[in-house]
Amino acid sequence: MTGGGSRALSGTPGRSILYTPWDNAAEWLAALRAALPDRPIDLWEGSGGAPPGPAQAADYDLAFVWQAPEALFEACRGLRVVCSLGAGSDHILRHRAKLPAGTAVLRAADPLMADRMADYVLAAVLAFTQNHDLYRRQQAARVWQRHAPRDATATPVGLLGLGRLGRRTAEKLQAAGFPVTAWVRSQRAAAADSAVPLVSGEAALADLLGRVRVLVVLLPETGATRGLIARPLLDRLPHGSLLVNPGRGGLMVEADVLSALDSGRLAAAALDVFETEPLPPDNPLWAHPAVTLTPHSAAISDPVSVTQALAADLARLAGGDRPDGWVDMAAGY
Ligand code: NDP
Ligand code: OXD
């Protein structure tokens, strides 16, 4: 299972390269050096490092990246393991043709990130059931008028994806009283997760959509999920539903989400991810009154917590065990 990755990481540690477009590259470097004290780690150009020469680039066997440029994968021909600084791996897999054969891809399997995501979703769902948007508008107009909340037990939630983040999210929603049903690719998790009813397949998804009031999207973006959140699917939701998408922008057709909002099919949408990020200033989602928009910040990666999770997974990989953040290249997540 671990293939070239486990061979590469046993024996003398090689050099590693770090690429992050975020403004805290120094924090990431310090966290990685603390978590992997035996490994020399350099910063790629653009993260504050100097451009490596071709010989130096070929020396890197391990990369830590978020949204790295293609040039990094073209130059680093000795890579055996590529680690995502986030939970998603799509930003690496889009360069898969450039990865040396047998390269292992790991993503951050960090419990703190799962908690952050669960809090983001719970906050969005509670804002909907507690009429926060309506009261904010009333406050601006100095209107004193009460509205009954939607009770949690009467607000069924459909959760697309029950992976590491989805599981924690389901737990927090259930603890708050929301009935949750999850849609997954296979039924293989069913036995291990009797606490959350699971469905899979297109017919079950169509049926689920008719029964929920809130749709939460926590899927990876793959060939099978891209563009899924589009008009045919949204039209199955009851009028006045809530869409929460912290999964990926490419999962939804933005024009369809806008038209579902305008028609009232969706009463509100909490969106954290977009087809183009940063979201262009002229995108109509910015100004839509029923949209709560955040800048891909639902589960921000914490440098210390993420690097500790990755270091633990690299040790598993070196020992021949399956890492928690193992990415199945065939499945695409
Ligand atoms: P996992 O890989 O752990 O889980 C993915 C889930 O999606 C699994 O339950 C899987 O089903 C399901 N799935 C995948 N493909 C399909 C399909 N074709 N049909 C139905 N279900 C499918 O992911 P995580 O929970 O860790 O994260 C989910 C996503 O959240 C990430 O991929 C990333 O895009 C996004 N994310 C966003 C962040 C943000 O700040 N906005 C932060 C971190 C992640 P099965 O159980 O059968 O395998
Ligand atoms: C992601 C992340 O995968 O921020 O989106 O970790």
Side-chain angles (χ1 to χ4, degrees), residues 9 24-26 29 31 35 60 67 74-75 117 137 148 159 162 183 214 220 237 272:
L9 295 176
N24 59 348
L29 192 58
Y60 298 121
Q67 310 269 11
E74 275 166 352
M117 179 58 80
R137 286 197 291 276
L159 178 55
L162 192 71
W183 184 67
V214 172
L237 290 166
D272 186 56

Side-chain angles (χ1 to χ4, degrees), residues 234-245:
L234 292 168
D235 285 346
R236 293 192 175 276
L237 290 166
H239 196 81
S241 294
L242 167 71
L243 170 69
V244 185
N245 182 14

Side-chain angles (χ1 to χ4, degrees), residues 3 115 317:
D115 261 324
L317 190 60

Side-chain angles (χ1 to χ4, degrees), residues 66 86-88 113 248 296 299 301:
W66 180 257
M113 192 179 278
R248 275 295 175 265
H296 200 142
S301 296

